Amino acid sequence: MSTERVLAIALPDSLLIDEDNLRGKTVKIGQIARAASIFGVERIYIYRDTRQDFERDYLVAKEILQYSETPQYLRKRLISRKSDLENVGLLPPLRIPHHQVEPIPKQGEIREAALFFQSGELVADIGGREAALYSGRGQAGQRVTVKVDSARSPVKVSEIKRPEEIFWGYEVRRAPSLARFLRSLSFDLTILTSRNGEPVATKWAELSSRLRMANRTVVCFGAPDMGIDKMLQQDHNKVSDFPRAECLNLFPDQQTATVRLEEALLGTLSILNVLRRILN
Amino acid sequence: MSTERVLAIALPDSLLIDEDNLRGKTVKIGQIARAASIFGVERIYIYRDTRQDFERDYLVAKEILQYSETPQYLRKRLISRKSDLENVGLLPPLRIPHHQVEPIPKQGEIREAALFFQSGELVADIGGREAALYSGRGQAGQRVTVKVDSARSPVKVSEIKRPEEIFWGYEVRRAPSLARFLRSLSFDLTILTSRNGEPVATKWAELSSRLRMANRTVVCFGAPDMGIDKMLQQDHNKVSDFPRAECLNLFPDQQTATVRLEEALLGTLSILNVLRRILN
């Protein structure tokens, strides 16, 4: 059993319902990618809002999130030009560990790489000046994690597993409706965020200890125009059907009529990040 | 003495240094206006970053912040067209209490109004179908707070003080350099946010009680490219010159190289809003 800590978030595929153009959608997804990255979110689930088909916006969100997470030096090789990526110039850089590479690799360094054929040989682009000789099971066009075995020319790398002790970006996963997703979860701690939830300050001590104990935590958010309560209702479920989940109001006495999804995400993760470290 | 609680924030006038066009600046200011509004920030100080003259960006920030805070129905009367406001269509609505008005006013209701002359008489635009007869000391072109004395035509309003028991928007104020600003402050609690500050989780109990006790709290932020420590150093001061201020790291173990100003603002205010409510 791995003792890796996993922090995941779950957002509805209607997350872009309040943005009517690609520019606005791109900016919003950029904010989500940043919030996830600051707090080391490893997995972003995008669940189905069953009131209608949001597949198109799901694809937009997924593509922009993945673009944002891909190290800059690999984007050209790995991501084909798509109209959904027209405004990626607006995305703020994530500046997470695996994005920060020097042109000259160091012995033992771990990097993300893209595999391609050069003079009939499968080599790895690791953002250096030359392609590296690659040993591993990957195929051309794939992104893999490698370790630099030799930093001198010819640079040699071999494939390794994603490192667990350092934040190595997030992956995007499709999920069914929120109710089905919650039933299928194997997380130790599930947090539902809702204006109608319990005020976080009243149960902070329990929550703080659960956050510290949990190896796998998922934090779920409602849609820009529909809270988690209603989201479950439309699937003939309710919050109390999930008694092990914590349903929390993290914005007590909010002064605006609503808190936007991207704001709720950043604020919630900021609070949980501190709460986890409070010892009572 | 008033027992009004005041929450203020202080941002440098170099806050837009990482945005090279008005679109990006507008989006960033929009995020700041939202964060301030969610948590009921009454005052936004913009202090001088003394390394160079940022007066131009100060004006852009001030104009967009004020535009954003002005109720939609008064913007045409109160705000003249300026090139700095070209992209205000990108601003998310704040949806704070005084922005939410119905076309038909109610007796006793408090509203923001703009004064203007109609048929030789000073009247008030309160976002209703007709201008209201106004009693008070205001002048044409001013924005005032009024109470609806009679909701039937002719609608009558009289000027009152800004309500204190409900969040009624923020004001923007100019401040000198951070060091001079900190020396001049009459706040009960001054918080400096810095990556080099004390981890908030280790002193949460003291902080929580200080937050509850303080009637006047100000939270200060550094520049996008310069932390509060260096900001004070360039003015020949240091954090320890302000022993009564709490210097806090609110993003322990951040996974991105930096936390952007607008992210730090929203995350910090989210944490303090909850911390203030935790009883030990």
Side-chain angles (χ1 to χ4, degrees), chain A residues 13 15-32 54 56-58 60-61 64-65 84 87 90-91 260 262:
Chain A
D13 56 10
L15 76 172
L16 297 173
I17 201 169
D18 55 347
E19 300 292 343
D20 58 8
N21 58 61
L22 186 60
R23 232 174 208 283
K25 292 178 191 196
T26 304
V27 169
K28 192 195 271 277
I29 296 293
Q31 290 175 243
I32 290 170
F54 291 102
R56 189 72 203 87
D57 273 350
Y58 158 67
V60 171
I64 299 177
L65 283 170
D84 292 346
N87 293 312
L90 298 171
L91 294 171
R260 295 163 70 90
E262 61 276 26

Side-chain angles (χ1 to χ4, degrees), chain A residues 36-253:
Chain A
S37 298
I38 293 171
F39 301 102
V41 168
E42 282 97 354
R43 209 168 290 160
I44 301 176
Y45 290 100
I46 301 186
Y47 68 83
R48 258 177 235 287
D49 180 339
T50 53
R51 77 190 124 145
Q52 67 181 76
D53 181 19
F54 291 102
E55 194 65 17
R56 189 72 203 87
D57 273 350
Y58 158 67
L59 290 171
V60 171
K62 185 183 77 162
E63 274 161 16
I64 299 177
L65 283 170
Q66 286 176 339
Y67 178 92
S68 201
E69 192 275 337
T70 303
Q72 284 81 343
Y73 62 91
L74 295 181
R75 286 178 183 165
K76 225 173 162 178
R77 280 198 196 280
L78 292 173
I79 299 172
S80 52
R81 279 197 195 178
K82 293 187 189 95
S83 59
D84 292 346
L85 298 176
E86 233 164 56
N87 293 312
V88 291
L90 298 171
L91 294 171
L94 298 187
R95 305 185 65 193
I96 45 184
H98 71 282
H99 284 199
Q100 320 266 1
V101 303
E102 301 291 332
I104 297 169
K106 289 195 191 80
Q107 173 100 22
E109 194 185 346
I110 296 171
R111 291 195 177 193
E112 288 296 280
L115 304 181
F116 66 105
F117 277 108
Q118 194 177 57
S119 323
E121 223 172 349
L122 188 61
V123 293
D125 183 344
I126 58 166
R129 288 194 191 119
E130 53 173 293
L133 297 177
Y134 163 80
S135 98
R137 291 183 188 176
Q139 293 180 340
Q142 278 186 342
R143 173 175 158 187
V144 294
T145 306
V146 297
K147 187 173 179 178
V148 178
D149 296 322
S150 168
R152 288 208 204 146
S153 188
V155 177
K156 287 179 193 152
V157 300
S158 55
E159 190 170 341
I160 59 164
K161 276 193 179 178
R162 267 165 86 99
E164 293 191 351
E165 62 290 348
I166 181 175
F167 176 58
W168 211 250
Y170 53 75
E171 46 176 3
V172 181
R173 291 203 189 170
R174 193 70 169 121
S177 72
L178 182 59
R180 284 185 56 201
F181 173 65
L182 290 175
R183 289 220 166 74
S184 72
L185 280 182
S186 61
F187 282 78
D188 306 321
L189 175 57
T190 300
I191 292 173
L192 307 176
T193 59
S194 163
R195 201 172 172 172
N196 304 317
E198 271 194 85
V200 64
T202 63
K203 61 178 328 179
W204 71 272
E206 180 196 339
L207 189 67
S208 170
S209 113
R210 286 195 70 183
L211 280 164
R212 263 195 310 283
M213 304 284 289
N215 281 321
R216 297 160 55 78
T217 302
V218 63
V219 190
C220 307
F221 296 83
D225 62 338
M226 190 186 270
I228 259 189
D229 320 64
K230 282 205 179 152
M231 197 70 98
L232 287 172
Q233 269 168 37
Q234 73 178 355
D235 292 334
H236 312 290
N237 281 273
K238 48 190 187 301
V239 169
S240 57
D241 293 339
F242 303 93
R244 294 192 52 230
E246 301 276 1
C247 187
L248 299 172
N249 173 13
L250 292 120
F251 296 90
D253 296 335

Side-chain angles (χ1 to χ4, degrees), chain B residues 68-245:
Chain B
S68 201
E69 192 275 338
T70 303
Q72 284 80 343
Y73 62 91
L74 295 181
R75 286 178 182 165
K76 224 172 163 179
R77 280 199 196 280
L78 292 173
I79 299 173
S80 52
R81 279 198 197 177
K82 291 187 191 95
S83 59
D84 291 347
L85 298 176
E86 234 164 54
N87 293 312
V88 290
L90 298 172
L91 294 171
L94 298 187
R95 306 185 64 194
I96 45 183
H98 71 283
H99 284 199
Q100 320 266 1
V101 303
E102 300 290 331
I104 297 168
K106 289 194 189 82
Q107 174 99 21
E109 194 185 345
I110 296 170
R111 289 195 179 196
E112 286 297 280
L115 304 180
F116 66 104
F117 277 109
Q118 193 177 60
S119 322
E121 223 173 349
L122 189 62
V123 294
D125 182 346
I126 58 165
R129 288 195 191 118
E130 53 172 292
L133 298 177
Y134 164 79
S135 100
R137 291 183 187 176
Q139 292 178 341
Q142 278 186 341
R143 173 175 157 186
V144 293
T145 306
V146 298
K147 187 173 179 174
V148 177
D149 296 322
S150 167
R152 288 210 204 144
S153 188
V155 177
K156 287 178 193 153
V157 300
S158 56
E159 190 170 339
I160 59 163
K161 276 193 179 178
R162 267 166 86 100
E164 294 190 351
E165 63 289 348
I166 181 176
F167 177 58
W168 210 250
Y170 53 75
E171 45 175 4
V172 180
R173 291 204 188 168
R174 193 70 168 123
S177 72
L178 182 59
R180 284 184 57 200
F181 173 66
L182 291 175
R183 289 222 166 72
S184 72
L185 281 182
S186 60
F187 282 78
D188 306 322
L189 175 56
T190 301
I191 292 173
L192 307 176
T193 60
S194 162
R195 202 171 171 173
N196 303 317
E198 271 194 87
V200 63
T202 63
K203 61 180 327 182
W204 70 273
E206 181 196 339
L207 189 68
S208 170
S209 114
R210 286 196 70 183
L211 281 163
R212 264 195 309 283
M213 303 286 287
N215 282 321
R216 297 160 55 78
T217 301
V218 64
V219 190
C220 308
F221 296 83
D225 62 338
M226 191 186 271
I228 260 191
D229 321 66
K230 281 206 180 152
M231 197 70 100
L232 287 172
Q233 269 169 37
Q234 73 178 354
D235 293 335
H236 312 290
N237 280 272
K238 48 189 186 302
V239 169
S240 58
D241 293 339
F242 304 94
R244 293 190 53 230

Side-chain angles (χ1 to χ4, degrees), chain A residues 34 95 253 257-258 263 277, chain B residues 34 95 253 257 263 277:
Chain A
R34 283 281 311 168
R95 305 185 65 193
D253 296 335
T258 51
E263 295 164 345
R277 290 173 171 80
Chain B
R34 283 281 311 170
R95 306 185 64 194
D253 295 335
E263 295 163 345
R277 289 172 172 80

